[in-house]
């Protein structure tokens, strides 16, 4: 049991510490401390279940940092490793849109994916690996049509499940996920903002939230990804009553609702039953999209502060 215990401790430590490292490199001291404090409960929750959500969150942030520092190969490998753990970090490829030499990055991404997918050949045969990937494909085919159920440790189902609750519909997942993807990419049409570090940082925040609320396989521990995005957005934008309200609502509904502070009856019959964790994250995501669509880097205040925060990634190389 000792080797298993040591391996488990090492795995949990890797998840938590890599996220700490990524946030610390992304933001200067005070802002980093604020973000780490706000996501603490979510990191504890995913670590208690020895899940990889903190790891993939860190890998997406590290991919963003690598792209900001023009290290495309590093970004490609961060995304490829994240996608090998949980497929939805592939969405981070969208971060490359805001940087030059996109065709080169596409080639780097293909190379990184090939290397990561072939790594198991170090410990298995080609036939065995092919069988594993065929099995994975069959599982994904079934998962693609699944709907949220159970809450708590079960599936939350994202925005798709909320729509089922609200309208009593039985829509498949993909039309809503497609709409969410279109909305996420809508601010990118304003290409004049691509050169703004603040705009790119805010897009990262929206991307992290998107990865959870449009993931039909999202579970309670998955919300560390979305809460990290919301916390970074909150820490790097000017204070307002609306931003503070959204952050407080997120902490109360997403983080504190799953602790012993919240009565068990409330947890089971209110928060879990109606999958309420998705709601504040969706409100935050819509707010982020609105601010991205109306973003003006040249204006005083907000744009300047965001640029200063995001440019820390260039001043503090990995």
């Amino acid at each position: 049991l000792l080797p298993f215990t040591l391996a488990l401790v090492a795995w949990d430590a890797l998840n938590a510490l890599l996220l700490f490292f990524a946030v610390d490199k992304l933001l200067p001291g005070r802002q980093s401390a604020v973000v780490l404090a706000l996501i603490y409960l979510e990191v504890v929750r995913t670590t208690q279940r020895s899940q990889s959500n903190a790891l993939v969150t860190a890998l997406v942030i590290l991919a963003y940092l690598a792209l900001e520092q023009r290290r495309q190969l590093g970004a490609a490998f961060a995304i490829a490793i994240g996608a090998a753990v949980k497929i939805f970090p592939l969405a981070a490829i969208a971060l490359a849109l805001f940087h030059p030499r996109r065709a080169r990055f596409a080639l780097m991404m293909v190379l990184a994916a090939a290397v990561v997918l072939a790594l198991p050949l170090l410990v298995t045969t080609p036939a065995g690996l092919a069988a594993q990937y065929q099995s994975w494909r069959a599982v994904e085919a079934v998962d693609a049509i699944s709907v949220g159920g159970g809450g708590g440790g079960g599936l939350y189902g994202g925005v798709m499940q909320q729509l089922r609750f609200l309208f009593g519909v039985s829509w498949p997942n993909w039309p809503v996920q497609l709409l969410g993807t279109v909305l996420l990419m809508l601010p990118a049409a304003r290409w004049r903002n691509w050169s703004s570090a603040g705009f790119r940082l805010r897009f990262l925040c929206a991307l992290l939230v998107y990865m959870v609320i449009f993931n039909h396989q999202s579970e309670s521990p998955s919300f560390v990804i979305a809460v990290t995005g919301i916390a970074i957005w909150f820490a790097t934008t000017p204070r307002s009553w609306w931003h503070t309200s959204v952050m407080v609502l997120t902490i109360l509904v997403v983080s504190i609702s799953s602790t012993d502070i919240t009565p068990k009856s409330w947890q089971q019959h209110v928060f879990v039953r109606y999958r309420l964790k998705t709601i504040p994250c969706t409100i935050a995501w819509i707010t982020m999209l609105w601010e991205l669509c109306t973003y003006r880097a040249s204006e005083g205040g907000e744009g300047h502060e965001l640029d200063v925060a995001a440019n820390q990634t260039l001043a503090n190389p990995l």
Side-chain angles (χ1 to χ4, degrees):
L1 288 178
L2 181 59
F4 174 79
T5 302
L6 292 176
L8 182 61
V9 170
W11 167 252
D12 289 340
L14 172 65
N15 276 262
L17 293 178
L18 191 64
L19 181 54
F20 171 85
F21 173 80
V23 172
D24 184 61
K25 289 298 180 182
L26 178 68
L27 299 174
R30 184 177 181 276
Q31 291 176 329
S32 174
V34 169
V35 172
L36 291 172
L38 291 172
I39 67 175
Y40 171 75
L41 288 176
E42 293 304 314
V43 174
V44 169
R45 179 169 299 111
T46 189
T47 303
Q48 284 178 328
R49 299 185 185 184
S50 296
Q51 292 205 11
S52 58
N53 298 291
L55 177 68
V56 299
T57 308
L59 287 170
V60 171
I61 294 174
L62 291 175
Y64 168 86
L65 287 166
L67 286 169
E68 291 292 306
Q69 296 160 12
R70 305 298 187 263
R71 295 185 294 105
Q72 292 186 327
L73 187 60
F77 269 102
I79 296 170
I81 293 170
V85 178
K86 292 194 172 186
I87 194 169
F88 56 80
L90 276 177
I93 291 175
L95 295 170
L97 177 66
F98 307 112
H99 296 274
R101 307 182 74 180
R102 288 179 284 277
R104 181 176 181 270
F105 176 78
L107 293 176
M108 295 286 187
M109 194 67 238
V110 171
L111 172 63
V115 171
V116 170
L117 290 175
L119 274 179
L121 289 175
L122 295 174
V123 294
T124 189
T125 64
L129 182 59
Q132 288 293 325
Y133 284 139
Q134 288 175 357
S135 175
W136 169 80
R137 181 180 178 182
V139 170
E140 286 298 313
V142 174
D143 285 348
I145 59 175
S146 64
V147 298
L155 302 181
Y156 274 72
V159 172
M160 296 74 70
Q161 185 70 357
Q162 290 300 316
L163 292 176
R164 294 184 186 104
F165 282 139
L166 288 173
F167 302 110
V169 296
S170 57
W171 296 330
N173 295 312
W174 72 264
V176 180
Q177 292 169 326
L178 178 61
L179 176 61
T181 303
V182 171
L183 292 175
L184 174 70
M185 299 309 299
L186 191 61
R190 306 189 64 198
W191 58 270
R192 295 181 185 276
N193 286 327
W194 292 7
S195 60
S196 167
F199 179 85
R200 299 193 300 270
L201 179 63
R202 183 166 286 178
F203 184 85
L204 169 68
C205 298
L207 177 70
L208 289 169
V209 181
Y210 161 88
M211 286 166 54
V212 174
I213 64 174
F214 288 98
N215 180 3
H216 59 282
Q217 292 288 310
S218 61
E219 304 171 290
S220 181
S222 305
F223 280 83
V224 65
I225 305 169
V227 174
T228 299
I230 297 170
I232 294 171
W233 165 75
F234 175 74
T236 57
T237 54
R239 293 293 177 269
S240 70
W241 71 268
W242 179 248
H243 285 201
T244 301
S245 299
V246 171
M247 190 72 250
V248 170
L249 184 65
T250 300
I251 295 300
L252 290 175
V253 176
V254 179
S255 300
I256 293 181
S257 69
S258 295
T259 68
D260 289 338
I261 296 175
T262 305
K264 293 294 183 182
S265 59
W266 289 18
Q267 290 183 21
Q268 294 301 319
H269 301 299
V270 180
F271 291 100
V272 170
R273 180 179 180 183
Y274 296 106
R275 322 291 196 274
L276 294 187
K277 290 189 177 190
T278 305
I279 294 177
C281 295
T282 304
I283 294 173
W285 186 71
I286 292 172
T287 302
M288 292 176 193
L289 287 188
W290 173 258
E291 292 175 350
L292 278 167
C293 288
T294 58
Y295 186 82
R296 293 289 188 277
S298 60
E299 292 179 0
E302 179 180 351
H304 174 70
E305 293 183 25
L306 278 170
D307 281 344
V308 169
N311 280 329
Q312 295 296 323
T313 64
L314 301 178
N316 298 295
L318 295 177

